[in-house]
Each structure stands twice: as C-alpha cells, then as structure tokens.
Amino acid sequence: MLDHEWFCARADKEISALAAVVADAPDVAAEVPSCPGWTLTDPARHVGSVHRWATSIVETEAAARVPFPEVDCPWESADGWAQWIVSGATPLLAGLRAAGPLTAVWSWGPGRTSGWWARRMLHETVVHRADAELALGAADAYVDPVVAADGIDEFLFNLPSARRPYPHLASLPTGESLHLHATDTDGEWLVRFTDSGIAWERGHAKATAAVRGPVTSLLLFTYGRRAASDPRLSAFGDEAIPALWQEKTAQ
C-alpha cells in the first residue's frame, strides 16, 4: 500500500542508494549525461539541499514558501558528499514521520500537506539517483516498478504547478496527445495537450503518439532524461510529439 510510511521508507532506501553511488564515484567531476552541464556534485548538492529545505518546511509547519537554503557540502571528496547526503536524511525522515501525512504545510504542488512532501522527496531522490548512476557509466538505471509507476503519476500530477518545465509545454500542439504504456507493470497513461495546459489520466486510449517500454525507461522519458528513440523504448505515431515532450521536460 502506498501510504505515508511507505513513501518515507522508500525515500530512506533511495537516499542510501544515492549516497552509495556517490561514495563509489572515482571522480565527482564526472559529467551527468541526463542533465547536460551538470557534474556529479550537482545532483548530490541539489538533492541534499532539497532535503534540508523540505525538513524546514515540515518541521515548522510553514504556511508559505520559505527561502531555499544556501547550503553546500563541507567536503570535496566522494565520501564527503555521500556523508552529507545521509546527514540530511535523518532529520528529513524524522520530521516527515512525526508530522504524519495530513499536517498542513506549504507545498509548491497541489495538496499542501506533509504527505505531499514525503512522496515528492522519494521521487526527487529516485530520479537524481538514476542521474548519478548514468554519470558513472551504468548501462541503465533500475527503479522498482511500483515506485517508477507512481513517479509518473506524481510528475503528471504536479506538472501544472511546476515553475519548470510547465511554462515550456505551451508550445506543444493543442489537440494532440501522448500515450505511455509500461510493458513490465500495470501502467498506462494518456496525456492530452489542451488550450489551458495538459490533462492526463490513467488508462488505454488512442493518441497522436505513443511510447512503450519498461516503466523505468518511461519514467526517465517522462522526466526528459531519455529520448523516445532510445533502444529500450518503442515509439509509434507522430514522432514529433515525444521528441517535443523530451525536449520540453528535460531539466
């Protein structure tokens, strides 16, 4: 069951996995191919900072946005970065568990509860753990299928509220649609491009274009990390639609 404790436990596991990847890095200056312009220190710094930001929001039950913390790892080694990531996890998970799922707090996406932050911290960490693995030359990143499918749900749920990439989706052609179909778990999504933005739903339907493949690859495609032309995926219909989606959602 995907409840508050499930999100906290999974976030804990993913934070440990990210820290392990960073700790094993022979060079923290390695480039991150899924995030052009980033080196391995960037996802580590970003995730560690976001964890600390979320902690302050949940612990203080903030009713409005609080400034993003200007924090950084005090060590330059791979082990140092890994320790810094782990040190931010303890107060984050303690705060989320103490708050439970229904404490009213500010969030940039719909929901405005501590439960929203538990789910967001899981998927924030998952995607950047995949970034780190790809930076170190892994042939692919693996995400548990249940986590990956929920990650697609969560991305689409929050997309209209995101400062980026949502404004960039305005150029997607109104009236067109994109179907995502997971081949290794129960998961299909239909995304429609409308005058007012996007509308989405779970399920099978005919679309202008479709992308089919393992749910981890679909998650990375949804986040703009993987092109529909990747050999792990199969694309059908108007190939310009998934190409535009990948371009607009890359972040």
Side-chain angles (χ1 to χ4, degrees):
M1 181 180 180
L2 278 63
D3 59 12
H4 186 69
E5 176 53 31
W6 186 89
F7 286 116
C8 290
R10 286 289 181 162
D12 191 4
K13 183 178 180 179
E14 286 292 338
I15 293 167
S16 295
L18 171 62
V21 173
V22 173
D24 288 343
D27 183 7
V28 291
E31 294 184 357
V32 182
S34 50
C35 296
W38 272 20
T39 65
L40 188 58
T41 57
D42 291 297
R45 179 185 295 108
H46 177 74
V47 171
S49 298
V50 170
H51 289 169
R52 288 161 171 80
W53 185 49
T55 300
S56 67
I57 291 167
V58 172
E59 284 186 340
T60 64
E61 298 183 15
R65 188 184 189 278
V66 302
F68 195 80
E70 295 296 331
V71 294
D72 204 350
C73 172
W75 307 288
E76 290 301 320
S77 68
D79 274 344
W81 279 101
Q83 291 175 36
W84 185 72
I85 291 167
V86 170
S87 69
T90 300
L92 170 66
L93 295 166
L96 288 170
R97 285 179 165 128
L102 299 178
T103 298
V105 298
W106 175 86
S107 64
W108 58 258
R112 308 240 166 189
T113 65
S114 47
W116 183 94
W117 282 102
R119 189 186 192 196
R120 178 84 289 275
M121 291 304 93
L122 167 60
H123 295 303
E124 182 79 18
T125 309
V126 164
V127 170
H128 289 303
R129 188 261 296 167
D131 288 332
E133 289 181 352
L134 297 172
L136 297 183
D140 199 9
Y142 173 80
V143 179
D144 176 271
V146 175
V147 174
D150 186 69
I152 296 172
D153 284 344
E154 196 256 0
F155 181 90
L156 296 173
F157 176 71
N158 286 320
L159 186 58
S161 302
R163 288 187 292 179
R164 190 179 190 281
Y166 189 71
H168 301 275
L169 297 178
S171 61
L172 287 169
T174 297
E176 308 293 357
S177 54
L178 176 64
H179 179 239
L180 306 176
H181 185 179
T183 56
D184 56 348
T185 192
D186 181 18
E188 294 187 67
W189 297 261
L190 178 67
V191 185
R192 296 187 179 92
F193 311 129
T194 72
D195 287 333
S196 56
I198 71 159
W200 73 278
E201 61 193 61
R202 278 278 201 132
H204 181 80
K206 186 173 177 59
T208 310
V211 178
R212 187 173 183 272
V215 70
T216 294
S217 293
L218 284 182
L219 174 68
L220 296 177
F221 167 76
T222 302
Y223 269 87
R225 261 62 176 181
R226 177 157 291 165
S229 58
D230 187 276
R232 300 168 187 84
L233 295 169
S234 299
F236 307 91
D238 184 349
E239 59 187 32
I241 299 298
L244 278 169
W245 177 273
Q246 196 274 335
E247 174 190 337
K248 301 300 182 183
T249 55
Q251 47 182 318

